[in-house]
mmCIF file of all heavy atoms in Angstrom:
data_model
loop_
_atom_site.group_PDB
_atom_site.id
_atom_site.type_symbol
_atom_site.label_atom_id
_atom_site.label_comp_id
_atom_site.label_asym_id
_atom_site.label_seq_id
_atom_site.Cartn_x
_atom_site.Cartn_y
_atom_site.Cartn_z
ATOM 1 N N MET A 1461 -19.792 4.309 -38.651
ATOM 2 C CA MET A 1461 -20.265 4.571 -37.287
ATOM 3 C C MET A 1461 -20.395 6.073 -37.070
ATOM 4 O O MET A 1461 -19.508 6.849 -37.381
ATOM 5 C CB MET A 1461 -19.256 3.950 -36.321
ATOM 6 C CG MET A 1461 -19.269 4.567 -34.960
ATOM 7 S SD MET A 1461 -18.305 3.578 -33.799
ATOM 8 C CE MET A 1461 -18.357 4.675 -32.389
ATOM 9 N N VAL A 1462 -21.530 6.476 -36.565
ATOM 10 C CA VAL A 1462 -21.829 7.902 -36.386
ATOM 11 C C VAL A 1462 -22.417 8.139 -35.004
ATOM 12 O O VAL A 1462 -23.306 7.410 -34.567
ATOM 13 C CB VAL A 1462 -22.843 8.366 -37.470
ATOM 14 C CG1 VAL A 1462 -23.432 9.708 -37.131
ATOM 15 C CG2 VAL A 1462 -22.193 8.410 -38.841
ATOM 16 N N LYS A 1463 -21.887 9.151 -34.342
ATOM 17 C CA LYS A 1463 -22.503 9.595 -33.084
ATOM 18 C C LYS A 1463 -22.861 11.070 -33.193
ATOM 19 O O LYS A 1463 -22.163 11.837 -33.852
ATOM 20 C CB LYS A 1463 -21.540 9.389 -31.909
ATOM 21 C CG LYS A 1463 -21.372 7.928 -31.562
ATOM 22 C CD LYS A 1463 -20.594 7.743 -30.282
ATOM 23 C CE LYS A 1463 -20.469 6.254 -29.977
ATOM 24 N NZ LYS A 1463 -19.812 5.991 -28.710
ATOM 25 N N ILE A 1464 -23.951 11.447 -32.545
ATOM 26 C CA ILE A 1464 -24.431 12.823 -32.622
ATOM 27 C C ILE A 1464 -23.835 13.643 -31.489
ATOM 28 O O ILE A 1464 -23.891 13.248 -30.330
ATOM 29 C CB ILE A 1464 -25.969 12.868 -32.492
ATOM 30 C CG1 ILE A 1464 -26.625 12.036 -33.579
ATOM 31 C CG2 ILE A 1464 -26.464 14.308 -32.528
ATOM 32 C CD1 ILE A 1464 -28.134 11.830 -33.359
ATOM 33 N N GLU A 1465 -23.291 14.801 -31.846
ATOM 34 C CA GLU A 1465 -22.911 15.777 -30.822
ATOM 35 C C GLU A 1465 -23.688 17.050 -31.094
ATOM 36 O O GLU A 1465 -23.731 17.524 -32.226
ATOM 37 C CB GLU A 1465 -21.408 16.071 -30.873
ATOM 38 C CG GLU A 1465 -20.604 14.938 -30.296
ATOM 39 C CD GLU A 1465 -19.107 15.247 -30.262
ATOM 40 O OE1 GLU A 1465 -18.712 16.399 -30.522
ATOM 41 O OE2 GLU A 1465 -18.362 14.313 -29.984
ATOM 42 N N LEU A 1466 -24.298 17.592 -30.059
ATOM 43 C CA LEU A 1466 -25.090 18.810 -30.219
ATOM 44 C C LEU A 1466 -24.628 19.819 -29.170
ATOM 45 O O LEU A 1466 -24.673 19.557 -27.972
ATOM 46 C CB LEU A 1466 -26.581 18.489 -30.049
ATOM 47 C CG LEU A 1466 -27.563 19.571 -30.498
ATOM 48 C CD1 LEU A 1466 -28.911 18.955 -30.841
ATOM 49 C CD2 LEU A 1466 -27.749 20.656 -29.450
ATOM 50 N N ASP A 1467 -24.148 20.949 -29.652
ATOM 51 C CA ASP A 1467 -23.647 21.997 -28.758
ATOM 52 C C ASP A 1467 -24.818 22.894 -28.334
ATOM 53 O O ASP A 1467 -25.271 23.738 -29.100
ATOM 54 C CB ASP A 1467 -22.578 22.812 -29.490
ATOM 55 C CG ASP A 1467 -21.938 23.854 -28.575
ATOM 56 O OD1 ASP A 1467 -22.498 24.142 -27.498
ATOM 57 O OD2 ASP A 1467 -20.890 24.379 -28.959
ATOM 58 N N GLN A 1468 -25.299 22.669 -27.127
ATOM 59 C CA GLN A 1468 -26.462 23.439 -26.665
ATOM 60 C C GLN A 1468 -26.130 24.914 -26.459
ATOM 61 O O GLN A 1468 -27.032 25.746 -26.404
ATOM 62 C CB GLN A 1468 -27.050 22.832 -25.390
ATOM 63 C CG GLN A 1468 -27.823 21.526 -25.668
ATOM 64 C CD GLN A 1468 -28.697 21.107 -24.503
ATOM 65 O OE1 GLN A 1468 -28.372 21.361 -23.355
ATOM 66 N NE2 GLN A 1468 -29.805 20.441 -24.799
ATOM 67 N N ASN A 1469 -24.863 25.241 -26.356
ATOM 68 C CA ASN A 1469 -24.493 26.658 -26.251
ATOM 69 C C ASN A 1469 -24.717 27.386 -27.565
ATOM 70 O O ASN A 1469 -24.973 28.588 -27.581
ATOM 71 C CB ASN A 1469 -23.032 26.804 -25.820
ATOM 72 C CG ASN A 1469 -22.813 26.340 -24.398
ATOM 73 O OD1 ASN A 1469 -23.638 26.602 -23.520
ATOM 74 N ND2 ASN A 1469 -21.728 25.638 -24.163
ATOM 75 N N LYS A 1470 -24.616 26.644 -28.669
ATOM 76 C CA LYS A 1470 -24.855 27.245 -29.986
ATOM 77 C C LYS A 1470 -26.331 27.205 -30.366
ATOM 78 O O LYS A 1470 -26.809 28.081 -31.074
ATOM 79 C CB LYS A 1470 -24.072 26.484 -31.062
ATOM 80 C CG LYS A 1470 -22.605 26.767 -31.107
ATOM 81 C CD LYS A 1470 -22.046 26.100 -32.366
ATOM 82 C CE LYS A 1470 -20.537 26.208 -32.431
ATOM 83 N NZ LYS A 1470 -20.009 25.362 -33.513
ATOM 84 N N CYS A 1471 -27.038 26.164 -29.951
ATOM 85 C CA CYS A 1471 -28.430 25.960 -30.368
ATOM 86 C C CYS A 1471 -29.293 27.157 -30.005
ATOM 87 O O CYS A 1471 -29.249 27.648 -28.878
ATOM 88 C CB CYS A 1471 -28.976 24.694 -29.691
ATOM 89 S SG CYS A 1471 -30.743 24.413 -29.994
ATOM 90 N N ILE A 1472 -30.065 27.625 -30.999
ATOM 91 C CA ILE A 1472 -30.981 28.738 -30.761
ATOM 92 C C ILE A 1472 -32.428 28.251 -30.673
ATOM 93 O O ILE A 1472 -33.366 29.043 -30.665
ATOM 94 C CB ILE A 1472 -30.855 29.818 -31.862
ATOM 95 C CG1 ILE A 1472 -31.069 29.213 -33.255
ATOM 96 C CG2 ILE A 1472 -29.502 30.510 -31.772
ATOM 97 C CD1 ILE A 1472 -31.194 30.246 -34.383
ATOM 98 N N GLY A 1473 -32.604 26.930 -30.653
ATOM 99 C CA GLY A 1473 -33.933 26.360 -30.436
ATOM 100 C C GLY A 1473 -34.885 26.510 -31.596
ATOM 101 O O GLY A 1473 -36.101 26.527 -31.407
ATOM 102 N N CYS A 1474 -34.347 26.571 -32.819
ATOM 103 C CA CYS A 1474 -35.225 26.789 -33.974
ATOM 104 C C CYS A 1474 -36.119 25.584 -34.255
ATOM 105 O O CYS A 1474 -37.144 25.717 -34.894
ATOM 106 C CB CYS A 1474 -34.404 27.135 -35.205
ATOM 107 S SG CYS A 1474 -33.528 25.728 -35.883
ATOM 108 N N GLY A 1475 -35.692 24.407 -33.811
ATOM 109 C CA GLY A 1475 -36.533 23.219 -33.955
ATOM 110 C C GLY A 1475 -36.395 22.479 -35.268
ATOM 111 O O GLY A 1475 -37.076 21.482 -35.499
ATOM 112 N N THR A 1476 -35.518 22.954 -36.139
ATOM 113 C CA THR A 1476 -35.360 22.305 -37.448
ATOM 114 C C THR A 1476 -34.932 20.845 -37.315
ATOM 115 O O THR A 1476 -35.454 19.967 -38.012
ATOM 116 C CB THR A 1476 -34.325 23.071 -38.301
ATOM 117 O OG1 THR A 1476 -34.782 24.406 -38.461
ATOM 118 C CG2 THR A 1476 -34.136 22.413 -39.661
ATOM 119 N N CYS A 1477 -34.013 20.585 -36.415
ATOM 120 C CA CYS A 1477 -33.519 19.202 -36.285
ATOM 121 C C CYS A 1477 -34.633 18.267 -35.820
ATOM 122 O O CYS A 1477 -34.741 17.137 -36.307
ATOM 123 C CB CYS A 1477 -32.321 19.142 -35.344
ATOM 124 S SG CYS A 1477 -32.605 19.847 -33.706
ATOM 125 N N VAL A 1478 -35.463 18.739 -34.906
ATOM 126 C CA VAL A 1478 -36.571 17.911 -34.410
ATOM 127 C C VAL A 1478 -37.598 17.687 -35.516
ATOM 128 O O VAL A 1478 -38.128 16.587 -35.674
ATOM 129 C CB VAL A 1478 -37.228 18.582 -33.183
ATOM 130 C CG1 VAL A 1478 -38.410 17.762 -32.692
ATOM 131 C CG2 VAL A 1478 -36.208 18.746 -32.068
ATOM 132 N N ALA A 1479 -37.853 18.731 -36.314
ATOM 133 C CA ALA A 1479 -38.813 18.604 -37.410
ATOM 134 C C ALA A 1479 -38.315 17.631 -38.475
ATOM 135 O O ALA A 1479 -39.083 16.817 -38.995
ATOM 136 C CB ALA A 1479 -39.078 19.976 -38.036
ATOM 137 N N LEU A 1480 -37.027 17.713 -38.796
ATOM 138 C CA LEU A 1480 -36.470 16.862 -39.856
ATOM 139 C C LEU A 1480 -36.170 15.456 -39.371
ATOM 140 O O LEU A 1480 -36.162 14.515 -40.163
ATOM 141 C CB LEU A 1480 -35.171 17.476 -40.399
ATOM 142 C CG LEU A 1480 -35.292 18.763 -41.191
ATOM 143 C CD1 LEU A 1480 -33.905 19.300 -41.538
ATOM 144 C CD2 LEU A 1480 -36.092 18.539 -42.460
ATOM 145 N N CYS A 1481 -35.909 15.317 -38.081
ATOM 146 C CA CYS A 1481 -35.396 14.037 -37.593
ATOM 147 C C CYS A 1481 -35.852 13.745 -36.158
ATOM 148 O O CYS A 1481 -35.032 13.682 -35.238
ATOM 149 C CB CYS A 1481 -33.869 14.079 -37.675
ATOM 150 S SG CYS A 1481 -33.108 12.478 -37.459
ATOM 151 N N PRO A 1482 -37.153 13.564 -35.995
ATOM 152 C CA PRO A 1482 -37.681 13.339 -34.642
ATOM 153 C C PRO A 1482 -37.210 12.023 -34.019
ATOM 154 O O PRO A 1482 -37.314 11.860 -32.799
ATOM 155 C CB PRO A 1482 -39.205 13.351 -34.844
ATOM 156 C CG PRO A 1482 -39.419 13.079 -36.296
ATOM 157 C CD PRO A 1482 -38.218 13.637 -37.013
ATOM 158 N N ASP A 1483 -36.705 11.115 -34.837
ATOM 159 C CA ASP A 1483 -36.185 9.860 -34.265
ATOM 160 C C ASP A 1483 -34.954 10.102 -33.402
ATOM 161 O O ASP A 1483 -34.698 9.365 -32.448
ATOM 162 C CB ASP A 1483 -35.794 8.880 -35.378
ATOM 163 C CG ASP A 1483 -37.005 8.223 -36.015
ATOM 164 O OD1 ASP A 1483 -38.123 8.390 -35.490
ATOM 165 O OD2 ASP A 1483 -36.820 7.550 -37.047
ATOM 166 N N TYR A 1484 -34.185 11.131 -33.736
ATOM 167 C CA TYR A 1484 -32.903 11.328 -33.054
ATOM 168 C C TYR A 1484 -32.801 12.613 -32.254
ATOM 169 O O TYR A 1484 -31.816 12.800 -31.521
ATOM 170 C CB TYR A 1484 -31.755 11.286 -34.060
ATOM 171 C CG TYR A 1484 -31.533 9.928 -34.675
ATOM 172 C CD1 TYR A 1484 -31.206 9.807 -36.017
ATOM 173 C CD2 TYR A 1484 -31.634 8.776 -33.913
ATOM 174 C CE1 TYR A 1484 -30.991 8.561 -36.596
ATOM 175 C CE2 TYR A 1484 -31.424 7.529 -34.472
ATOM 176 C CZ TYR A 1484 -31.102 7.422 -35.814
ATOM 177 O OH TYR A 1484 -30.888 6.199 -36.375
ATOM 178 N N PHE A 1485 -33.760 13.531 -32.408
ATOM 179 C CA PHE A 1485 -33.678 14.807 -31.685
ATOM 180 C C PHE A 1485 -34.988 15.114 -30.990
ATOM 181 O O PHE A 1485 -36.065 14.786 -31.481
ATOM 182 C CB PHE A 1485 -33.351 15.961 -32.651
ATOM 183 C CG PHE A 1485 -32.004 15.817 -33.315
ATOM 184 C CD1 PHE A 1485 -31.890 15.181 -34.535
ATOM 185 C CD2 PHE A 1485 -30.859 16.300 -32.705
ATOM 186 C CE1 PHE A 1485 -30.648 15.011 -35.153
ATOM 187 C CE2 PHE A 1485 -29.610 16.150 -33.304
ATOM 188 C CZ PHE A 1485 -29.508 15.497 -34.530
ATOM 189 N N GLU A 1486 -34.878 15.782 -29.850
ATOM 190 C CA GLU A 1486 -36.065 16.265 -29.142
ATOM 191 C C GLU A 1486 -35.725 17.590 -28.484
ATOM 192 O O GLU A 1486 -34.544 17.926 -28.314
ATOM 193 C CB GLU A 1486 -36.514 15.244 -28.085
ATOM 194 C CG GLU A 1486 -35.493 14.996 -26.997
ATOM 195 C CD GLU A 1486 -35.850 13.806 -26.115
ATOM 196 O OE1 GLU A 1486 -36.983 13.302 -26.202
ATOM 197 O OE2 GLU A 1486 -34.972 13.389 -25.334
ATOM 198 N N MET A 1487 -36.765 18.359 -28.140
ATOM 199 C CA MET A 1487 -36.533 19.617 -27.455
ATOM 200 C C MET A 1487 -36.452 19.359 -25.950
ATOM 201 O O MET A 1487 -37.135 18.501 -25.397
ATOM 202 C CB MET A 1487 -37.661 20.618 -27.736
ATOM 203 C CG MET A 1487 -37.803 21.034 -29.194
ATOM 204 S SD MET A 1487 -36.284 21.629 -29.973
ATOM 205 C CE MET A 1487 -36.065 23.218 -29.124
ATOM 206 N N GLU A 1488 -35.573 20.116 -25.327
ATOM 207 C CA GLU A 1488 -35.429 20.090 -23.865
ATOM 208 C C GLU A 1488 -35.520 21.543 -23.445
ATOM 209 O O GLU A 1488 -34.523 22.268 -23.503
ATOM 210 C CB GLU A 1488 -34.074 19.485 -23.509
ATOM 211 C CG GLU A 1488 -33.784 19.403 -22.034
ATOM 212 C CD GLU A 1488 -32.405 18.796 -21.777
ATOM 213 O OE1 GLU A 1488 -31.391 19.341 -22.248
ATOM 214 O OE2 GLU A 1488 -32.359 17.756 -21.098
ATOM 215 N N GLY A 1489 -36.723 21.997 -23.115
ATOM 216 C CA GLY A 1489 -36.916 23.426 -22.903
ATOM 217 C C GLY A 1489 -36.692 24.163 -24.202
ATOM 218 O O GLY A 1489 -37.271 23.819 -25.226
ATOM 219 N N ALA A 1490 -35.810 25.158 -24.197
ATOM 220 C CA ALA A 1490 -35.566 25.982 -25.378
ATOM 221 C C ALA A 1490 -34.447 25.454 -26.262
ATOM 222 O O ALA A 1490 -34.090 26.083 -27.246
ATOM 223 C CB ALA A 1490 -35.246 27.412 -24.940
ATOM 224 N N LYS A 1491 -33.898 24.301 -25.923
ATOM 225 C CA LYS A 1491 -32.770 23.746 -26.671
ATOM 226 C C LYS A 1491 -33.113 22.351 -27.168
ATOM 227 O O LYS A 1491 -33.934 21.647 -26.560
ATOM 228 C CB LYS A 1491 -31.534 23.640 -25.775
ATOM 229 C CG LYS A 1491 -31.156 24.926 -25.071
ATOM 230 C CD LYS A 1491 -30.344 25.830 -25.966
ATOM 231 C CE LYS A 1491 -29.901 27.075 -25.216
ATOM 232 N NZ LYS A 1491 -29.024 27.919 -26.047
ATOM 233 N N ALA A 1492 -32.439 21.960 -28.234
ATOM 234 C CA ALA A 1492 -32.581 20.588 -28.708
ATOM 235 C C ALA A 1492 -31.545 19.711 -28.037
ATOM 236 O O ALA A 1492 -30.501 20.185 -27.589
ATOM 237 C CB ALA A 1492 -32.389 20.538 -30.215
ATOM 238 N N LYS A 1493 -31.872 18.410 -27.976
ATOM 239 C CA LYS A 1493 -30.854 17.458 -27.534
ATOM 240 C C LYS A 1493 -31.021 16.161 -28.297
ATOM 241 O O LYS A 1493 -32.130 15.812 -28.726
ATOM 242 C CB LYS A 1493 -30.921 17.246 -26.021
ATOM 243 C CG LYS A 1493 -32.118 16.449 -25.556
ATOM 244 C CD LYS A 1493 -31.910 16.030 -24.099
ATOM 245 C CE LYS A 1493 -32.921 14.962 -23.744
ATOM 246 N NZ LYS A 1493 -32.846 14.491 -22.386
ATOM 247 N N PRO A 1494 -29.914 15.453 -28.491
ATOM 248 C CA PRO A 1494 -30.006 14.158 -29.151
ATOM 249 C C PRO A 1494 -30.728 13.164 -28.254
ATOM 250 O O PRO A 1494 -30.584 13.213 -27.033
ATOM 251 C CB PRO A 1494 -28.544 13.734 -29.339
ATOM 252 C CG PRO A 1494 -27.718 14.930 -29.029
ATOM 253 C CD PRO A 1494 -28.536 15.792 -28.130
ATOM 254 N N LYS A 1495 -31.503 12.271 -28.856
ATOM 255 C CA LYS A 1495 -32.197 11.259 -28.061
ATOM 256 C C LYS A 1495 -31.261 10.131 -27.646
ATOM 257 O O LYS A 1495 -31.585 9.357 -26.751
ATOM 258 C CB LYS A 1495 -33.361 10.669 -28.860
ATOM 259 C CG LYS A 1495 -34.558 11.591 -28.966
ATOM 260 C CD LYS A 1495 -35.704 10.868 -29.666
ATOM 261 C CE LYS A 1495 -36.989 11.664 -29.593
ATOM 262 N NZ LYS A 1495 -38.085 11.000 -30.341
ATOM 263 N N THR A 1496 -30.143 10.007 -28.333
ATOM 264 C CA THR A 1496 -29.225 8.919 -28.016
ATOM 265 C C THR A 1496 -27.785 9.385 -28.122
ATOM 266 O O THR A 1496 -27.470 10.262 -28.929
ATOM 267 C CB THR A 1496 -29.435 7.726 -28.971
ATOM 268 O OG1 THR A 1496 -28.488 6.715 -28.656
ATOM 269 C CG2 THR A 1496 -29.286 8.135 -30.425
ATOM 270 N N SER A 1497 -26.937 8.823 -27.308
ATOM 271 C CA SER A 1497 -25.494 9.062 -27.454
ATOM 272 C C SER A 1497 -24.822 7.828 -28.053
ATOM 273 O O SER A 1497 -23.604 7.726 -28.098
ATOM 274 C CB SER A 1497 -24.874 9.405 -26.101
ATOM 275 O OG SER A 1497 -25.156 8.374 -25.173
ATOM 276 N N ASP A 1498 -25.649 6.877 -28.485
ATOM 277 C CA ASP A 1498 -25.116 5.648 -29.072
ATOM 278 C C ASP A 1498 -24.757 5.842 -30.541
ATOM 279 O O ASP A 1498 -25.160 6.818 -31.169
ATOM 280 C CB ASP A 1498 -26.159 4.520 -28.981
ATOM 281 C CG ASP A 1498 -26.463 4.131 -27.543
ATOM 282 O OD1 ASP A 1498 -25.623 4.424 -26.671
ATOM 283 O OD2 ASP A 1498 -27.537 3.551 -27.311
ATOM 284 N N ASP A 1499 -24.037 4.908 -31.066
ATOM 285 C CA ASP A 1499 -23.759 4.842 -32.491
ATOM 286 C C ASP A 1499 -25.083 4.706 -33.253
ATOM 287 O O ASP A 1499 -25.889 3.837 -32.927
ATOM 288 C CB ASP A 1499 -22.871 3.612 -32.730
ATOM 289 C CG ASP A 1499 -22.588 3.350 -34.195
ATOM 290 O OD1 ASP A 1499 -22.811 4.270 -35.009
ATOM 291 O OD2 ASP A 1499 -22.146 2.237 -34.505
ATOM 292 N N ILE A 1500 -25.282 5.563 -34.240
ATOM 293 C CA ILE A 1500 -26.527 5.487 -35.009
ATOM 294 C C ILE A 1500 -26.276 4.992 -36.434
ATOM 295 O O ILE A 1500 -27.014 5.319 -37.367
ATOM 296 C CB ILE A 1500 -27.288 6.824 -35.025
ATOM 297 C CG1 ILE A 1500 -26.415 7.953 -35.571
ATOM 298 C CG2 ILE A 1500 -27.793 7.152 -33.624
ATOM 299 C CD1 ILE A 1500 -27.210 9.208 -35.929
ATOM 300 N N GLY A 1501 -25.223 4.239 -36.600
ATOM 301 C CA GLY A 1501 -24.976 3.590 -37.890
ATOM 302 C C GLY A 1501 -24.615 4.579 -38.974
ATOM 303 O O GLY A 1501 -23.645 5.316 -38.839
ATOM 304 N N GLU A 1502 -25.406 4.637 -40.021
ATOM 305 C CA GLU A 1502 -25.089 5.485 -41.170
ATOM 306 C C GLU A 1502 -25.437 6.957 -40.938
ATOM 307 O O GLU A 1502 -25.083 7.799 -41.745
ATOM 308 C CB GLU A 1502 -25.864 4.993 -42.393
ATOM 309 C CG GLU A 1502 -25.478 3.610 -42.864
ATOM 310 C CD GLU A 1502 -24.057 3.579 -43.404
ATOM 311 O OE1 GLU A 1502 -23.754 4.380 -44.292
ATOM 312 O OE2 GLU A 1502 -23.264 2.769 -42.912
ATOM 313 N N GLY A 1503 -26.179 7.252 -39.902
ATOM 314 C CA GLY A 1503 -26.530 8.645 -39.625
ATOM 315 C C GLY A 1503 -27.966 8.976 -39.968
ATOM 316 O O GLY A 1503 -28.613 9.738 -39.269
ATOM 317 N N GLY A 1504 -28.475 8.383 -41.040
ATOM 318 C CA GLY A 1504 -29.878 8.585 -41.410
ATOM 319 C C GLY A 1504 -30.259 10.050 -41.457
ATOM 320 O O GLY A 1504 -29.516 10.888 -41.974
ATOM 321 N N CYS A 1505 -31.414 10.370 -40.911
ATOM 322 C CA CYS A 1505 -31.926 11.744 -40.995
ATOM 323 C C CYS A 1505 -31.107 12.712 -40.151
ATOM 324 O O CYS A 1505 -31.236 13.933 -40.304
ATOM 325 C CB CYS A 1505 -33.389 11.790 -40.600
ATOM 326 S SG CYS A 1505 -33.731 11.274 -38.898
ATOM 327 N N ALA A 1506 -30.254 12.210 -39.257
ATOM 328 C CA ALA A 1506 -29.402 13.109 -38.465
ATOM 329 C C ALA A 1506 -28.463 13.911 -39.364
ATOM 330 O O ALA A 1506 -28.097 15.046 -39.038
ATOM 331 C CB ALA A 1506 -28.608 12.320 -37.427
ATOM 332 N N LYS A 1507 -28.118 13.342 -40.513
ATOM 333 C CA LYS A 1507 -27.268 14.070 -41.462
ATOM 334 C C LYS A 1507 -27.988 15.296 -41.997
ATOM 335 O O LYS A 1507 -27.423 16.379 -42.112
ATOM 336 C CB LYS A 1507 -26.934 13.168 -42.661
ATOM 337 C CG LYS A 1507 -25.863 12.169 -42.404
ATOM 338 C CD LYS A 1507 -25.517 11.511 -43.745
ATOM 339 C CE LYS A 1507 -24.862 10.182 -43.544
ATOM 340 N NZ LYS A 1507 -24.886 9.366 -44.759
ATOM 341 N N GLU A 1508 -29.249 15.074 -42.343
ATOM 342 C CA GLU A 1508 -30.067 16.178 -42.850
ATOM 343 C C GLU A 1508 -30.214 17.261 -41.783
ATOM 344 O O GLU A 1508 -30.129 18.453 -42.065
ATOM 345 C CB GLU A 1508 -31.445 15.621 -43.206
ATOM 346 C CG GLU A 1508 -32.080 16.216 -44.407
ATOM 347 C CD GLU A 1508 -33.460 15.619 -44.638
ATOM 348 O OE1 GLU A 1508 -33.639 14.407 -44.401
ATOM 349 O OE2 GLU A 1508 -34.339 16.385 -45.021
ATOM 350 N N ALA A 1509 -30.438 16.823 -40.543
ATOM 351 C CA ALA A 1509 -30.571 17.778 -39.440
ATOM 352 C C ALA A 1509 -29.290 18.589 -39.290
ATOM 353 O O ALA A 1509 -29.329 19.819 -39.167
ATOM 354 C CB ALA A 1509 -30.899 17.029 -38.150
ATOM 355 N N ALA A 1510 -28.147 17.908 -39.311
ATOM 356 C CA ALA A 1510 -26.868 18.597 -39.147
ATOM 357 C C ALA A 1510 -26.647 19.600 -40.282
ATOM 358 O O ALA A 1510 -26.188 20.727 -40.054
ATOM 359 C CB ALA A 1510 -25.734 17.584 -39.103
ATOM 360 N N ASN A 1511 -27.009 19.191 -41.492
ATOM 361 C CA ASN A 1511 -26.796 20.067 -42.650
ATOM 362 C C ASN A 1511 -27.721 21.278 -42.650
ATOM 363 O O ASN A 1511 -27.419 22.278 -43.294
ATOM 364 C CB ASN A 1511 -27.013 19.289 -43.954
ATOM 365 C CG ASN A 1511 -25.906 18.306 -44.222
ATOM 366 O OD1 ASN A 1511 -24.792 18.461 -43.712
ATOM 367 N ND2 ASN A 1511 -26.195 17.280 -44.996
ATOM 368 N N ASN A 1512 -28.826 21.182 -41.947
ATOM 369 C CA ASN A 1512 -29.814 22.265 -41.984
ATOM 370 C C ASN A 1512 -29.893 23.093 -40.719
ATOM 371 O O ASN A 1512 -30.665 24.046 -40.650
ATOM 372 C CB ASN A 1512 -31.187 21.686 -42.320
ATOM 373 C CG ASN A 1512 -31.278 21.281 -43.784
ATOM 374 O OD1 ASN A 1512 -31.412 22.126 -44.658
ATOM 375 N ND2 ASN A 1512 -31.154 20.004 -44.056
ATOM 376 N N CYS A 1513 -29.117 22.758 -39.723
ATOM 377 C CA CYS A 1513 -29.102 23.595 -38.511
ATOM 378 C C CYS A 1513 -28.498 24.957 -38.854
ATOM 379 O O CYS A 1513 -27.382 25.023 -39.360
ATOM 380 C CB CYS A 1513 -28.272 22.922 -37.416
ATOM 381 S SG CYS A 1513 -28.102 23.994 -35.962
ATOM 382 N N PRO A 1514 -29.228 26.037 -38.583
ATOM 383 C CA PRO A 1514 -28.766 27.366 -39.015
ATOM 384 C C PRO A 1514 -27.511 27.849 -38.291
ATOM 385 O O PRO A 1514 -26.830 28.749 -38.770
ATOM 386 C CB PRO A 1514 -29.957 28.281 -38.701
ATOM 387 C CG PRO A 1514 -30.726 27.562 -37.644
ATOM 388 C CD PRO A 1514 -30.538 26.085 -37.931
ATOM 389 N N VAL A 1515 -27.201 27.261 -37.151
ATOM 390 C CA VAL A 1515 -26.013 27.708 -36.414
ATOM 391 C C VAL A 1515 -24.962 26.589 -36.302
ATOM 392 O O VAL A 1515 -24.021 26.683 -35.525
ATOM 393 C CB VAL A 1515 -26.394 28.232 -35.010
ATOM 394 C CG1 VAL A 1515 -27.213 29.509 -35.121
ATOM 395 C CG2 VAL A 1515 -27.154 27.179 -34.205
ATOM 396 N N SER A 1516 -25.147 25.542 -37.103
ATOM 397 C CA SER A 1516 -24.183 24.431 -37.127
ATOM 398 C C SER A 1516 -23.861 23.880 -35.734
ATOM 399 O O SER A 1516 -22.711 23.651 -35.390
ATOM 400 C CB SER A 1516 -22.886 24.859 -37.817
ATOM 401 O OG SER A 1516 -23.148 25.287 -39.135
ATOM 402 N N ALA A 1517 -24.923 23.679 -34.957
ATOM 403 C CA ALA A 1517 -24.726 23.155 -33.594
ATOM 404 C C ALA A 1517 -24.576 21.645 -33.558
ATOM 405 O O ALA A 1517 -24.173 21.094 -32.531
ATOM 406 C CB ALA A 1517 -25.901 23.584 -32.716
ATOM 407 N N ILE A 1518 -24.917 20.991 -34.667
ATOM 408 C CA ILE A 1518 -24.919 19.517 -34.686
ATOM 409 C C ILE A 1518 -23.706 19.013 -35.448
ATOM 410 O O ILE A 1518 -23.465 19.405 -36.591
ATOM 411 C CB ILE A 1518 -26.205 18.995 -35.365
ATOM 412 C CG1 ILE A 1518 -27.428 19.491 -34.615
ATOM 413 C CG2 ILE A 1518 -26.181 17.465 -35.437
ATOM 414 C CD1 ILE A 1518 -28.739 19.330 -35.396
ATOM 415 N N GLN A 1519 -22.961 18.149 -34.807
ATOM 416 C CA GLN A 1519 -21.823 17.490 -35.443
ATOM 417 C C GLN A 1519 -22.060 15.996 -35.428
ATOM 418 O O GLN A 1519 -22.504 15.455 -34.406
ATOM 419 C CB GLN A 1519 -20.528 17.764 -34.670
ATOM 420 C CG GLN A 1519 -20.187 19.228 -34.477
ATOM 421 C CD GLN A 1519 -19.569 19.844 -35.725
ATOM 422 O OE1 GLN A 1519 -18.755 19.204 -36.382
ATOM 423 N NE2 GLN A 1519 -19.966 21.057 -36.043
ATOM 424 N N LEU A 1520 -21.750 15.343 -36.506
ATOM 425 C CA LEU A 1520 -21.794 13.878 -36.528
ATOM 426 C C LEU A 1520 -20.353 13.382 -36.550
ATOM 427 O O LEU A 1520 -19.568 13.778 -37.392
ATOM 428 C CB LEU A 1520 -22.549 13.388 -37.762
ATOM 429 C CG LEU A 1520 -23.986 13.879 -37.872
ATOM 430 C CD1 LEU A 1520 -24.657 13.273 -39.100
ATOM 431 C CD2 LEU A 1520 -24.797 13.556 -36.636
ATOM 432 N N LYS A 1521 -20.022 12.527 -35.578
ATOM 433 C CA LYS A 1521 -18.623 12.098 -35.466
ATOM 434 C C LYS A 1521 -18.511 10.596 -35.485
ATOM 435 O O LYS A 1521 -19.418 9.906 -35.080
ATOM 436 C CB LYS A 1521 -18.043 12.648 -34.166
ATOM 437 C CG LYS A 1521 -18.095 14.152 -34.169
ATOM 438 C CD LYS A 1521 -17.029 14.768 -33.303
ATOM 439 C CE LYS A 1521 -16.922 16.257 -33.590
ATOM 440 N NZ LYS A 1521 -16.262 16.985 -32.531
HETATM 441 FE FE1 LIG B 1143 -30.957 23.948 -32.276
HETATM 442 FE FE2 LIG B 1143 -29.946 23.671 -34.635
HETATM 443 FE FE3 LIG B 1143 -31.749 22.007 -33.774
HETATM 444 S S1 LIG B 1143 -30.483 25.585 -33.655
HETATM 445 S S2 LIG B 1143 -33.042 23.221 -32.439
HETATM 446 S S3 LIG B 1143 -29.719 22.279 -32.942
HETATM 447 S S4 LIG B 1143 -31.553 22.727 -35.859
#
């Protein structure tokens, strides 16, 4: 079971998470936000997004 946490205070709006994983992330103005706060199962592309965020704003818990 995996849930996405995204710290908008850390996010610099680079857009990498949205590019890698549009199913789970979208832009909200200059910041990204998760599309769901629900359990996303195995994590899927959200793992890739978390691993590639330059400021480590994405946590999967
Ligand atoms: Fe922000 Fe990181 Fe996504 S900086 S736009 S949360 S890849």
Side-chain angles (χ1 to χ4, degrees):
M1461 157 169 173
V1462 166
K1463 288 189 179 184
I1464 302 170
E1465 285 183 9
L1466 194 156
D1467 184 345
Q1468 286 195 329
N1469 292 320
K1470 284 189 186 170
C1471 174
I1472 55 170
C1474 73
T1476 301
C1477 55
V1478 178
L1480 291 175
C1481 193
D1483 284 351
Y1484 292 141
F1485 297 92
E1486 62 191 349
M1487 297 308 290
E1488 180 180 59
K1491 307 277 184 176
K1493 72 167 194 181
K1495 285 185 171 177
T1496 178
S1497 56
D1498 295 339
D1499 175 16
I1500 57 166
E1502 295 293 306
C1505 62
K1507 281 188 201 163
E1508 217 182 323
N1511 288 337
N1512 287 284
C1513 175
V1515 293
S1516 302
I1518 301 165
Q1519 304 281 319
L1520 301 183
K1521 299 207 167 161

